[in-house]
Structure formats: C-alpha cells, structure tokens
Amino acid sequence: MKLELLLNCLEREAYLVRVAPSWFNKYVKLGAAKDATSATNLKASIQDLENANSARAKVGSRRLKVSPILTAISMIDADYQKQGGVQSPTIL
C-alpha cells in the first residue's frame, strides 16, 4: 500500500517535467533502474522504514510516518546530488 502511494505520488508529480527547473530532465529519470525513483529503491526504503518502526516499537517510541510529497522531493534531490554535484536544487 505504501509503495503504491509513493508511485502514485511520483506519477502526479510528473507535471514537474513541464515546470521543472532547468536541471530536472538532465538528472532525473523517473522510475529508471539506476534512478532514486526506481521501484527497487522504493521497496528498499519502505522495508527500511518498517525495520526502523519495529526497532522503535521495541523501545516504546512512536512509529515514523511517510510524507509522499517529501519523499518524492527527496528522491529527485538525490538524483540531482548524485549526478549534478553538491548544491541545493530549487524544486518549485
């Protein structure tokens, strides 16, 4: 369910291609195998979150929550950082 929500969010955010910063099309390849937005990376991230929440539950801490929008932005930022250098991109 969380994976589906993240994928849907990425699809909705595809409009960024039209209004995206100049670097977007150069560095971000939505869903590509080596892109931060790949299904493999999404699944791994969700598993990591579940593992973290299991560990938190054992010590009585609250579960961490996911923001699909912030997750999508962080994935795009990861693509930029990986290929474009260490700078802070402007998404919107």
Side-chain angles (χ1 to χ4, degrees):
M1 180 64 156
K2 292 178 185 179
L3 176 60
E4 182 178 327
L5 182 62
L6 287 173
L7 288 172
N8 288 338
C9 179
L10 289 171
E11 289 173 10
R12 286 193 310 266
E13 296 303 316
Y15 79 92
L16 285 174
V17 173
R18 290 175 291 200
V19 296
S22 60
W23 53 264
F24 185 88
N25 288 331
K26 182 176 180 181
Y27 300 128
V28 179
K29 306 297 180 212
L30 292 176
K34 293 188 177 185
D35 195 84
T37 63
S38 72
T40 300
N41 284 333
L42 286 171
K43 289 177 185 177
S45 296
I46 290 170
Q47 186 59 55
D48 288 344
L49 179 64
E50 290 301 321
N51 293 343
N53 279 333
S54 293
R56 291 173 63 84
K58 290 177 184 175
V59 296
S61 295
R62 292 184 302 172
R63 293 179 59 81
L64 298 172
K65 297 180 182 179
V66 173
S67 164
I69 298 295
L70 293 177
T71 300
I73 290 171
S74 69
M75 294 167 122
I76 291 167
D77 184 46
D79 287 333
Y80 180 81
Q81 299 299 330
K82 179 179 74 175
Q83 300 185 32
V86 180
Q87 298 177 20
S88 183
T90 303
I91 297 291
L92 299 174

